[in-house]
Amino acid sequence: MADNKVIPIQPINRRSANITQGKSRAPNRSMYYAMGYEEGDFVKPMVGVANGHSTITPMRPLQALKKRAATHRCSAPPPSATAWPWAPKA
């Protein structure tokens, strides 16, 4: 006798549906529509590819400026305290 178990079929976009389906996700859909998605795109799975490696970070230039400020002390104060927050207090 064959074992006839019914296996529930999950939609192909079950994870994407968390951000695209339902009344409360209308703001999400409006953002996707603005990016060029169409109504038929929401039944397809959404796949994101990300890469965390980056050499462009806002801290690199600030660290270089901080290092230069520490090695080149001058008698003139910086133009504003917000421009050089790491400058020594006079």
Side-chain angles (χ1 to χ4, degrees), residues 16-40:
S16 302
N18 290 337
I19 55 172
T20 60
Q21 305 300 315
K23 227 186 214 186
S24 64
R25 302 303 182 188
N28 299 9
R29 286 191 301 276
S30 66
M31 180 189 65
Y32 286 121
Y33 284 130
M35 290 189 308
Y37 280 62
E38 296 176 0
E39 193 170 343

Side-chain angles (χ1 to χ4, degrees), residues 54-65 86:
S54 175
T55 57
I56 303 172
T57 62
M59 290 310 294
R60 287 188 187 270
L62 292 178
Q63 289 170 348
L65 285 174
W86 55 82

Side-chain angles (χ1 to χ4, degrees), residues 42-82:
F42 296 121
V43 295
K44 301 174 188 174
M46 293 183 182
V47 179
V49 178
N51 184 352
H53 178 74
S54 175
T55 57
I56 303 172
T57 62
M59 290 310 294
R60 287 188 187 270
L62 292 178
Q63 289 170 348
L65 285 174
K66 184 177 178 181
K67 185 184 269 188
R68 281 195 342 212
T71 58
H72 296 91
R73 304 255 185 239
C74 61
S75 59
S80 72
T82 57

